[in-house]
């Protein structure tokens, strides 16, 4: 603090800076994105979204943990997401339905970026939106690669 | 969410009832609704400019300030150019109004005379018995040369008709003068009453542009988690509906004004684009507005060119042509796409709105119905989605359990 002035820095921006999608953005760009985010608070065991629901945007975990569960045959596949990670990103691209259920494991603070607001970001701040899109494409490509490897392993095992 | 899911009759009854209730409410606070409505129109007109400025690297606050300043300068320049003309026109509006009423009356009389010449049946229907005419005519007036027979022989029927016409004209003139004299003060007071509302409009528009997204997030924050995503979608749909409706309406007004303006210019009428713009704006009021706008231009045409008998009819023809273009070409291309509504529902709602809320209802019914329709359909979907309701109850239970966790000592 200089000359008794309060810091105007938003602590959430530091956390957003660590999110893979936003890693190419400057703090100023992040402030633009932050103005478009919706903050939600979920209690432990509260459902965030259900499988089969139409997704409207992606969720970023700011605090707490979130479990994504998907039934595969008789088993359930689950993944846990902590602060800085994100899920539901496909809904940012199209109006498809959710393929898994998301539920808060702990009390969680989550921010959401809505698809229509992302599209408006593409119009007003195309550089920021294109950087996010590029990182999103990289994440999706990595997940696709991983899925292919897992399918191959599954085929080899059977 | 199934987008093809049709709303049931109960939802539609709710939509119609809510629309009517809102229209009745809006009618009582019209002084506030009108500036808000005009501000929303201005917001959707200016929002693309703000977005363009933001795309060039400005912050929202700077972009809004820049666009508002540019608009203010433009309006100030327009005021300097057009202001003196408007004030001089306003100073003699009483005489003008009287003139236009007299022109309208003459036009009706001419139309009747022409029709009676062309169709004898009409002539017999309009002609009254001589004794009745004697009673109603206060004083004999000279016979109109145009209606007198060419051979110079006295024609009693024509003379009676001329007398009747002159009497009716004198009576109408008196009425018009009395009307303008008695209502001019009232109209001026009514206009003064609307001044604060009009001044509210730029203020509202500025803050809609500046804080619109922040206000939306503030409203969404109050929505329970279970309904969050669907509410986001609802907001998006409502905003999209309003944006498309008002932008469509503005585009339609511009197209109407352009076509009418070109037509009026071609017919040789003075200030064609001003009159066309006025008529196009008046058409915002369904049915009545179009008729009033058309009548205004016909009166102006008849007043400015008194010797041209056919000009008013040509203007009427032009209006009918532009109306047809409007209904079958322009409207489907502009507003028609914004409100995916059955035409029968739209017409019935316009009639219902006129019955419950008068002129204000007619003006507001389409945007209000569009918003209530989207909101009703999505709320109807949410209210019947058992899974979402169960999730909401579960979340409430978790919160209640958390709230009373340490209330009871062991």
């Amino acid at each position: 603090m200089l000359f008794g002035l309060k810091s105007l820095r938003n602590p959430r921006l530091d956390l957003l800076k660590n999110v893979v999608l936003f890693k190419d953005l400057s703090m100023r760009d992040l402030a633009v994105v932050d103005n478009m985010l919706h903050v939600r608070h979920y209690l432990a065991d509260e459902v965030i979204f259900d499988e089969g629901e139409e997704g409207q945007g992606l969720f970023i975990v700011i605090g707490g943990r979130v479990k994504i569960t998907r039934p595969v045959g008789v088993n359930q596949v689950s993944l846990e997401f902590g602060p800085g990670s994100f899920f539901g990103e496909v809904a940012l691209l199209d109006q498809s339905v959710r393929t898994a259920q998301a539920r808060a494991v702990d009390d969680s603070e989550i921010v959401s970026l809505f698809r229509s607001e992302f599209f408006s970001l593409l119009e007003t701040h195309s550089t920021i939106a294109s950087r996010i899109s590029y990182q999103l494409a990289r994440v999706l490509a990595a997940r696709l690669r991983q899925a292919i490897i897992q399918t191959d392993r599954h085929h080899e095992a059977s | 969410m199934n987008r093809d899911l049709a709303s049931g009759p109960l939802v539609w009854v709710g939509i119609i009832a809510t629309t009517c209730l809102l229209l009745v409410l809006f009618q009582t606070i019209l002084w506030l609704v009108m500036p808000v409505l005009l501000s929303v129109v201005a917001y959707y007109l200016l929002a693309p400019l703000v977005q363009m400025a933001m795309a060039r690297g400005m912050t929202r606050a700077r972009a809004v300030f820049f666009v508002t300043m540019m608009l203010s300068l433009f309006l100030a320049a327009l005021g300097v150019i057009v202001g003196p003309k408007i004030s001089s026109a306003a100073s003699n509006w009483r005489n003008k109004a009287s003139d236009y009423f007299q022109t309208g009356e003459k036009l009706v009389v001419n139309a009747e005379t022409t029709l009676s010449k062309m169709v004898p049946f009409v002539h017999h229907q309009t002609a009254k018995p001589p004794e009745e005419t004697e009673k109603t005519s206060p004083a004999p007036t000279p016979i109109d040369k145009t209606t007198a027979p060419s051979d110079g022989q006295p024609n009693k029927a024509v003379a009676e008709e001329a007398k009747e016409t002159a009497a009716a004209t004198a009576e109408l003139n008196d009425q018009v003068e009395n009307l303008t004299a008695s209502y001019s003060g009232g109209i001026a007071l009514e206009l003064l009453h609307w001044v604060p509302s009009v001044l509210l409009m730029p203020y509202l528009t500025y803050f809609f542009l500046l804080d619109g997204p922040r206000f939306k997030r503030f409203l969404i924050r109050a929505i329970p988690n279970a309904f969050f995503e669907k509410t986001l979608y609802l907001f998006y749909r409502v905003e999209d509906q309003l944006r498309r409706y008002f932008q469509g309406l503005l585009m339609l007004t511009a197209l109407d004004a352009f076509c009418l303006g070109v037509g009026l210019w071609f017919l040789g009428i003075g200030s064609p684009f001003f009159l066309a713009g006025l008529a196009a704006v008046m058409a915002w009021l369904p049915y009545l507005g179009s008729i009033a706008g058309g009548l205004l231009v016909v009166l102006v045409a008849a007043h400015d060119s008194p010797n041209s008998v056919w000009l008013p009819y040509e203007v009427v023809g032009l209006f009918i042509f532009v109306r047809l273009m409007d209904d079958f070409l322009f409207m489907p291309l502009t507003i028609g796409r914004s409100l995916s509504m059955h035409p029968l529902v739209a017409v019935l709602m316009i009639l219902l709105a006129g019955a419950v809320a008068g002129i204000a209802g007619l003006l507001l019914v389409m945007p209000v119905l569009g918003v209530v329709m989207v909101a009703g359909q999505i709320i109807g979907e949410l209210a019947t989605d058992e899974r979402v309701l169960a999730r909401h109850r579960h979340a409430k239970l978790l919160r209640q359990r958390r709230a009373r966790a340490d209330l009871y000592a062991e």
Side-chain angles (χ1 to χ4, degrees):
Chain A
M1 201 184 293
L2 192 65
F3 302 120
L5 287 172
K6 273 187 180 176
S7 167
L8 292 174
R9 195 173 174 126
N10 182 351
R12 198 165 65 212
L13 294 187
D14 292 327
L15 210 138
L16 287 177
K17 183 73 185 159
N18 295 326
V19 177
V20 181
L21 286 182
F22 306 138
K23 73 174 190 184
D24 291 340
L25 303 184
S26 66
M27 291 310 268
R28 196 176 162 176
D29 295 344
L30 272 177
V32 172
V33 176
D34 187 53
N35 278 332
M36 295 188 149
L37 299 176
H38 301 276
V39 184
R40 309 300 300 181
H41 293 94
Y42 292 88
L43 291 184
D45 203 32
E46 194 175 344
V47 173
I48 298 166
F49 58 72
D50 270 318
E51 185 188 346
E53 242 179 48
E54 189 181 286
Q56 301 299 333
L58 80 80
F59 291 88
I60 300 160
V61 184
I62 299 292
R65 283 180 304 147
V66 172
K67 189 163 78 175
I68 304 288
T69 315
R70 183 166 186 257
V72 179
V74 288
N75 303 318
Q76 282 205 328
V77 179
S78 59
L79 276 173
E80 256 188 31
F81 291 86
S85 49
F86 62 91
F87 55 93
E89 65 280 354
V90 181
L92 207 59
L93 304 175
D94 64 10
Q95 232 167 324
S96 57
V97 293
R98 304 281 190 198
T99 53
Q101 187 198 56
R103 191 187 280 264
V105 179
D106 305 321
D107 290 357
S108 307
E109 184 182 343
I110 291 167
V111 291
S112 168
L113 178 60
F114 184 38
R115 183 173 51 244
S116 78
E117 278 156 0
F118 180 64
F119 287 164
S120 111
L121 190 73
L122 274 166
E123 284 175 18
T124 57
H125 297 84
S126 51
T127 316
I128 299 176
S130 63
R131 282 179 184 157
I132 298 173
S133 304
Y134 175 66
Q135 287 302 332
L136 184 61
R138 286 187 66 177
V139 169
L140 290 175
R143 286 185 187 170
L144 181 66
R145 201 177 305 121
Q146 206 173 355
I148 291 168
I149 291 168
Q150 276 179 354
T151 313
D152 286 349
R153 277 186 194 154
H154 180 73
H155 280 299
E156 280 168 16
S158 61
Chain B
M1 212 185 298
N2 186 2
R3 295 275 159 260
D4 300 327
L5 192 72
S7 299
L10 205 63
V11 171
W12 267 103
V13 168
I15 290 170
I16 292 170
T18 311
T19 307
C20 289
L21 276 175
L22 283 174
L23 290 175
V24 170
L25 176 74
F26 288 168
Q27 191 194 17
T28 58
I29 50 164
L30 201 62
W31 60 270
L32 182 65
V33 174
M34 282 314 288
V36 170
L37 188 76
L38 291 174
S39 305
V40 171
V41 175
Y43 167 80
Y44 287 114
L45 192 70
L46 298 177
L49 298 176
V50 171
Q51 287 212 333
M52 274 166 66
M54 283 171 73
R56 293 185 180 274
M58 284 190 197
T59 60
R60 174 170 281 275
R62 278 186 191 169
V64 170
F65 182 74
F66 174 74
V67 169
T68 319
M69 284 308 294
M70 287 291 113
L71 183 73
S72 305
L73 286 174
F74 171 73
L75 290 177
L78 200 70
V80 168
I81 297 165
V82 185
K85 283 182 186 173
I86 291 176
S87 63
S88 69
S91 64
N92 60 359
W93 72 274
R94 273 178 64 179
N95 300 333
K96 281 274 180 188
S98 176
D99 283 356
Y100 285 132
F101 274 119
Q102 283 171 7
T103 307
E105 193 270 337
K106 276 180 196 162
L107 190 68
V108 172
V109 171
N110 284 345
E112 196 186 324
T113 314
T114 314
L115 201 65
S116 64
K117 273 182 189 167
M118 291 165 80
V119 189
F121 171 74
V122 177
H123 173 75
H124 290 300
Q125 288 296 311
T126 52
K128 287 182 183 173
E131 59 273 17
E132 195 182 321
T133 316
E134 291 290 339
K135 282 178 202 167
T136 53
S137 304
T141 48
I143 298 167
D144 189 348
K145 297 277 186 256
T146 55
T147 53
S150 55
D151 55 1
Q153 293 297 314
N155 186 329
K156 199 178 178 185
V158 174
E160 293 300 334
E161 195 179 321
K163 274 184 192 173
E164 190 187 332
T165 307
T169 309
E171 195 181 334
L172 195 80
N173 286 348
D174 288 346
Q175 281 177 2
V176 167
E177 275 168 21
N178 288 339
L179 196 78
T180 47
S182 57
Y183 283 98
S184 58
I187 292 169
L189 270 177
E190 189 64 25
L191 286 175
L192 270 177
H193 178 72
W194 278 93
V195 166
S197 300
V198 173
L199 290 177
L200 201 61
M201 193 198 130
Y203 185 73
L204 286 173
T205 309
Y206 180 79
F207 283 105
F208 282 170
L209 287 167
L210 188 66
D211 293 326
R214 206 181 298 170
F215 182 65
K216 194 174 90 177
R217 277 207 306 283
F218 168 74
L219 285 181
I220 288 173
R221 213 185 302 159
I223 303 297
N225 284 337
F227 307 113
F228 169 59
E229 278 202 278
K230 288 191 178 178
T231 312
L232 270 183
Y233 184 71
L234 169 69
F235 270 79
Y236 162 69
R237 282 284 305 274
V238 166
E239 203 183 343
D240 187 53
Q241 187 94 326
L242 279 175
R243 182 179 53 79
R244 284 196 295 170
Y245 176 77
F246 285 119
Q247 285 181 350
L249 189 66
L250 289 169
M251 207 180 287
L252 184 69
T253 307
L255 280 169
D256 276 357
F258 177 75
C259 289
L260 270 175
V262 169
L264 293 175
W265 172 77
F266 190 71
L267 291 174
I269 290 164
S271 312
F273 288 97
F274 173 73
L275 282 174
L278 199 64
V281 170
M282 284 171 87
W284 287 8
L285 199 70
Y287 300 126
L288 281 179
S290 301
I291 295 168
L295 208 61
L296 176 80
V297 179
V298 168
L299 285 180
V300 171
H303 179 264
D304 292 353
S305 310
N307 298 325
S308 176
V309 180
W310 288 105
L311 188 66
Y313 303 108
E314 285 168 5
V315 173
V316 171
L318 174 70
F319 257 87
I320 293 171
F321 172 72
V322 174
R323 195 71 251 162
L324 289 173
M325 290 280 283
D326 205 62
D327 288 344
F328 295 104
L329 187 69
F330 301 154
M331 214 181 267
L333 285 173
T334 53
I335 295 179
R337 282 185 187 166
S338 67
L339 297 177
S340 45
M341 189 185 300
H342 196 282
L344 183 67
V345 175
V347 170
L348 285 178
M349 278 311 295
I350 287 170
L351 295 175
L352 200 59
V356 298
I359 302 279
L362 289 176
L363 187 67
L364 298 171
V365 63
M366 286 325 243
V368 171
L369 178 63
V371 170
V372 175
M373 195 174 73
V374 172
Q377 283 172 345
I378 293 181
I379 291 169
E381 245 180 83
L382 282 173
T384 51
D385 191 332
E386 288 299 332
R387 176 66 186 176
V388 171
L389 293 175
R391 267 171 49 190
H392 177 57
R393 284 194 294 272
H394 176 241
K396 253 173 87 174
L397 200 70
L398 288 173
R399 274 170 175 75
Q400 283 169 359
R401 209 177 285 164
R402 176 70 59 87
R404 53 174 186 245
D406 56 352
L407 280 180
Y408 308 105
E410 287 180 14

